[in-house]
Amino acid sequence: ATHIAGGQITYAHASGLTYNLTYTFYRDCGGAAAPATVTYTVSSTNGAFSTTVTSAAGVNNGNVVPICATATTACSGGATPGREKWVYTTSITLPSQQTDWHFSVSLSNRNNAITTINPTTVAMYVYATLNNTIQPGNNSCIFANDPAAFVYTNQNFCFNNGAVDVDGDSLTYSLITPLIDAVAPVTYNAPYTATQPLTSSPPVTFNTSTGDVCMFPTAAGEVTVMAVLVKEYRYGILIG
């Protein structure tokens, strides 16, 4: 399976220690079919707790890549590249309040179109964390913009994932190396890196206060991967 083009995990407080989990998955329509369900791992080292939860059946929200009116994407049997947005939901009741709740999903493998790493046997691991000791209720931030940017060469381009926090918590941003599993990062082909994931002159810039990533691409045909980490603070304490 070579079809994974992006993903994120979010959570929303339901009541008490119950949270609704959402895994949003972006499928390269030139690859394998989306999974019927996904499995979340929920754990806390401090709480000596670990379990897995299977989602409800995934819901296909259709192609998210902007296309011309006359084009047909690979999602509908055409030739134009397309990406489907799939959403997988479940709920979990945590047994206690801890500083280190960890929610993760791992899927294989990344889409074959990627040129800056070897994607063929590289899984995608995404996670979210929660510190619910300040108060039981917290909602993670969400990325409001779909990661489906197709960028022209020799033009300035800026992208923002559109992180929104309904609780009004303070957010900071960083570019990190995408993960294969809980501890292993992807290996970029030289000269690419997590902070310089494509050929750009001047180099790629990233704003840690806003999450804006800006570039001036100079090499056609590159398909790259990047990961944005958003940290959420309340009263100066990291909570997600």
Side-chain angles (χ1 to χ4, degrees):
T2 52
H3 59 305
I4 300 171
Q8 64 164 313
I9 292 178
T10 61
Y11 53 82
H13 181 240
S15 63
L17 294 177
T18 299
Y19 293 82
N20 297 323
L21 305 179
T22 300
Y23 177 72
T24 305
F25 164 73
Y26 295 89
R27 170 186 172 256
D28 182 338
C29 291
T37 61
V38 299
T39 300
Y40 294 82
T41 298
V42 179
S43 63
S44 164
T45 300
N46 293 343
F49 180 86
S50 181
T51 192
T52 58
V53 184
T54 301
S55 74
V59 177
N60 184 1
N61 287 248
N63 172 62
V64 296
V65 175
I67 59 171
C68 298
T70 56
T72 303
T73 71
C75 307
S76 303
T80 301
R83 289 181 188 171
E84 289 176 339
K85 178 179 180 178
W86 288 76
V87 178
Y88 301 83
T89 58
T90 192
S91 63
I92 181 75
T93 299
L94 304 176
S96 59
Q97 291 175 250
Q98 301 293 340
T99 60
D100 65 339
W101 286 111
H102 194 276
F103 313 110
S104 65
V105 172
S106 180
L107 291 178
S108 296
N109 286 309
R110 295 178 186 265
N111 56 314
N112 254 346
I114 299 168
T115 60
T116 58
I117 65 171
N118 176 13
T120 306
T121 58
V122 177
M124 183 181 71
Y125 177 92
V126 297
Y127 69 92
T129 65
L130 167 66
N131 171 0
N132 63 349
T133 61
I134 298 175
Q135 60 187 56
N138 179 52
N139 302 282
S140 71
C141 66
I142 62 170
F143 287 146
N145 297 330
D146 296 319
F150 281 66
V151 185
Y152 291 102
T153 55
N154 301 312
Q155 293 187 26
N156 285 311
F157 179 81
C158 291
F159 179 77
N160 192 301
N161 282 290
V164 177
D165 188 274
V166 297
D167 300 318
D169 296 316
S170 298
L171 304 179
T172 64
Y173 306 81
S174 58
L175 276 182
I176 62 170
T177 305
L179 294 173
I180 298 172
D181 57 35
V183 296
V186 304
T187 300
Y188 281 93
N189 302 326
Y192 307 106
T193 65
T195 55
Q196 295 298 321
L198 52 78
T199 305
S200 176
S201 181
V204 174
T205 61
F206 187 80
N207 189 313
T208 58
S209 297
T210 65
D212 287 335
V213 56
C214 295
M215 61 202 73
F216 191 91
T218 56
E222 289 183 338
V223 180
T224 195
V225 292
M226 63 179 66
V228 177
L229 174 67
V230 184
K231 292 183 177 181
E232 175 189 2
Y233 293 87
R234 186 176 301 173
Y235 312 126
I237 299 172
L238 179 65
I239 62 169

